Amino acid sequence: MSGAATSAAALPPPAYDQLLGHPKPLWMLFMSEFWERFAFYGIRWALVLYIVAQFHGGDAAGQQPAGLIYGSYLALVYAAAIFGGLVADKYLGYQRSILVGAVFMAAGLFMIAVPNETVFKLGLATIVVGNGLFKPIISTLVGKIYATADERRDSGFTIFYMGINLGAMISPILTQILAAKIFGTEAMPAYKVVFIAAGIGMVISLFWFWLGRAQLKGVGEAPEGANGIGRIVAVFVGCAAAVPVVYALLAMGAATLQIILTVMFVALAGMLLVEGIKNGAQARDKVIAMLIIFAFNILFWMFFEQAGSSFTFLADQIVNRDLGFMTFPTAWFQSVNSVAIIVLAPLIAWGWVKMGSWNPSIPRKFGLGIIFNGLAFLLLMIALGSMVDPETMKIPFWTLFAVYWIQSIGELCLSPIGLSMVTKLAPLRLVGFGMGGWFLSTGIGNNLSGIFAGHVSGEGGMTAASALSGYTFGFWALVIGGVSLFLLAPLIQKLMHGVK
């Protein structure tokens, strides 16, 4: 940012009108994110199933490449946040970055409805580019409408996180009904309808933010001297040029992509450290604490994000979805996590406040999140090891349903707290870049999740034995990681210099 923009960032936020105890712009951002998440999660349940059906003729051997593509796509979605953070911080401003990103995301969602593999992957690449400008920046804006010391800040992020999950809850249910009941059949869903509905949701998000951004009262506007249309055109051209680059990264494969993402993470960590060192010992220590937590965040998402890949195949083939009065659609499992978040988020947020001095530190909350993720895998180990019906070779419906609830508790201990943490620990000039680092660590975890999902499915498709082997590894990795973070928590908290 320019010096003027930096100074502006140091000032308290404007005097906003309040709505339900929070700044009014929170609710505009809430609904913009609701529709963006409707779009993003609307396609989540369908992607791997569509890849197997459309590009592998329905052969179970297509599960492994489908999982790898899905993981790489998600990884790039989050990795693109680094560049989106830089563009917003230093060149375009937050508000205009969100609008440009929304345009590209909508275009990409409509592109993947075309039943051609090249166009499909170009569409995924276009979504990636748009999401890089949208997702981290709208989260950063939530932090900017609160003063740093405002005690409502964490609660505001939790409310915002509920907006994410409302969109994520509704979209799989609606898109599954559209694809299977209205335009297709259960045996042959009309997947392109799913993608078109998601594109429409993204267009709604675009216009919602466009019409409501005046509520921000200048927060997130373009840096001084950068208000002209020239920079918008330049960013559009740059994004269009980035699409074939992202397409090439998707084509490289998950293993090569993992190397690239790791190099990016090391470079990002170096840049944040240099900025922290410039700002003094406390700023340096805060960056170190943030980076340590980023590393554990990778572990969490590597196993949590099985929901869109191996858990989808598990639900489709190995879970008994016959409830007697209906067959529970595979797509609807994608809504279970969101329902759990909506139910549990206010309870957990209330619980943190009620605990008072017993409220766990940020590192210990992260440790709890990882441990709960591990407990979900423990349940899968038990189900696949001792609860497989010998006639149907399937596990009970309630087990996977419960897994999503247990994981959701872990997610609430970690993810909304992480968004708030970055706005408190990142160097002031590079808050958007720091948020990009948070999403890059999530992206690395997602790429690893695709590699892991490929291992769980194996070359010939998922079996109860292959799932048991993979999920046993997941349990031990998560429990060891969570306990380690608990032990490191006092050191990390010291580096945070009083940030809670």
Side-chain angles (χ1 to χ4, degrees):
M1 286 187 180
S2 67
T6 302
S7 299
L11 295 173
Y16 292 119
D17 293 336
Q18 303 295 298
L19 181 62
L20 299 179
H22 287 270
K24 192 174 180 181
L26 173 66
W27 305 102
M28 182 274 293
L29 297 172
F30 175 101
M31 287 305 301
S32 299
E33 182 71 349
F34 168 90
W35 283 110
E36 186 272 334
R37 290 291 92 179
F38 175 94
F40 191 84
Y41 282 92
I43 69 171
R44 189 186 191 206
W45 70 270
L47 277 177
V48 292
L49 297 173
Y50 175 72
I51 291 168
V52 172
Q54 182 69 38
F55 306 127
H56 295 274
D59 190 338
Q63 292 180 13
Q64 186 176 68
L68 292 171
I69 291 171
Y70 177 78
S72 296
Y73 154 71
L74 278 187
L76 289 166
V77 160
Y78 287 105
I82 302 174
F83 303 102
L86 280 173
V87 168
D89 274 334
K90 294 182 172 293
Y91 192 73
L92 196 58
Y94 292 175
Q95 293 187 22
R96 297 195 297 176
S97 292
I98 288 170
L99 293 169
V100 173
V103 170
F104 274 85
M105 286 183 69
L109 288 161
F110 289 121
M111 287 172 67
I112 63 174
V114 178
N116 175 280
E117 189 167 7
T118 299
V119 176
F120 175 80
K121 290 182 178 178
L122 281 170
L124 291 180
T126 305
I127 296 169
V128 165
V129 171
N131 200 278
L133 285 169
F134 188 104
K135 178 62 179 167
I137 308 311
I138 198 165
S139 300
T140 304
L141 275 179
V142 174
K144 286 186 174 293
I145 63 174
Y146 292 92
T148 304
D150 193 329
E151 293 181 353
R152 301 172 301 167
R153 192 182 183 94
D154 281 358
S155 295
F157 271 100
T158 300
I159 291 169
F160 180 72
Y161 207 65
M162 287 182 69
I164 292 173
N165 284 281
L166 278 170
M169 176 190 74
I170 293 169
S171 58
I173 297 171
L174 178 59
T175 54
Q176 187 274 336
I177 291 172
L178 287 172
K181 304 290 186 183
I182 298 177
F183 294 99
T185 66
E186 294 286 352
M188 186 59 66
Y191 291 112
K192 67 179 181 180
V193 175
V194 177
F195 307 144
I196 291 169
I200 293 170
M202 196 63 235
V203 171
I204 294 173
S205 176
L206 167 64
F207 280 101
W208 198 284
F209 185 80
W210 172 268
L211 295 172
R213 61 198 176 113
Q215 297 177 24
L216 292 166
K217 296 184 177 180
V219 169
E221 287 186 345
E224 187 177 343
N227 292 311
I229 196 172
R231 292 198 179 196
I232 297 177
V233 173
V235 170
F236 260 98
V237 172
C239 287
V243 169
V245 175
V246 175
Y247 174 87
L249 290 171
L250 278 172
M252 284 180 180
T256 302
L257 181 60
Q258 188 60 39
I259 296 172
I260 295 171
L261 293 173
T262 302
V263 170
M264 288 172 62
F265 185 77
V266 171
L268 175 142
M271 293 177 69
L272 287 170
L273 271 173
V274 168
E275 183 68 21
I277 290 168
K278 287 180 181 178
N279 293 332
Q282 283 198 14
R284 176 205 61 203
D285 289 350
K286 288 178 180 179
V287 169
I288 292 171
M290 184 173 66
L291 293 175
I292 293 172
I293 292 177
F294 282 178
F296 282 96
N297 189 51
I298 292 171
L299 176 68
F300 179 86
W301 292 105
M302 173 180 175
F303 296 102
F304 183 90
E305 198 42 66
Q306 295 308 300
S309 51
S310 74
F311 284 5
T312 297
F313 294 126
L314 184 77
D316 197 48
Q317 299 169 14
I318 300 177
V319 173
N320 183 359
R321 295 182 287 111
D322 184 0
L323 303 182
F325 61 93
M326 67 173 291
T327 299
F328 192 84
T330 298
W332 290 12
F333 275 106
Q334 298 297 324
S335 295
V336 176
N337 166 251
S338 301
V339 172
I341 295 292
I342 292 164
V343 171
L344 296 173
L347 297 176
I348 291 178
W350 174 82
W352 295 143
V353 174
K354 281 295 181 181
M355 290 176 75
S357 61
W358 291 93
N359 191 348
S361 64
I362 288 175
R364 287 214 161 123
K365 286 175 181 174
F366 269 70
L368 284 171
I370 294 170
I371 290 170
F372 271 104
N373 200 359
L375 293 176
F377 279 81
L378 175 61
L379 177 55
L380 285 174
M381 284 171 56
I382 295 169
L384 291 162
S386 60
M387 300 172 71
V388 177
D389 187 314
E391 293 185 5
T392 63
M393 296 305 293
K394 294 186 176 184
I395 61 175
F397 168 83
W398 71 264
T399 55
L400 183 57
F401 193 88
V403 161
Y404 278 102
W405 277 80
I406 298 168
Q407 282 193 319
S408 298
I409 297 173
E411 183 183 2
L412 282 168
C413 290
L414 180 146
S415 196
I417 306 303
L419 294 172
S420 180
M421 175 201 71
V422 172
T423 65
K424 297 173 184 176
L425 295 180
L428 185 62
R429 284 197 326 123
L430 295 178
V431 174
F433 192 51
M435 195 68 77
W438 167 257
F439 287 113
L440 175 60
S441 68
T442 303
I444 292 173
N446 283 322
N447 191 60
L448 290 170
S449 80
I451 295 172
F452 177 69
H455 169 71
V456 173
S457 289
E459 294 184 1
M462 180 182 289
T463 64
S466 70
L468 176 60
S469 173
Y471 296 153
T472 299
F473 171 78
F475 164 73
W476 287 110
L478 286 163
V479 168
I480 291 170
V483 171
S484 299
L485 182 52
F486 242 78
L487 296 175
L488 286 171
L491 171 62
I492 299 171
Q493 191 63 38
K494 185 178 180 180
L495 291 170
M496 292 169 69
H497 291 280
V499 169
K500 296 180 181 180

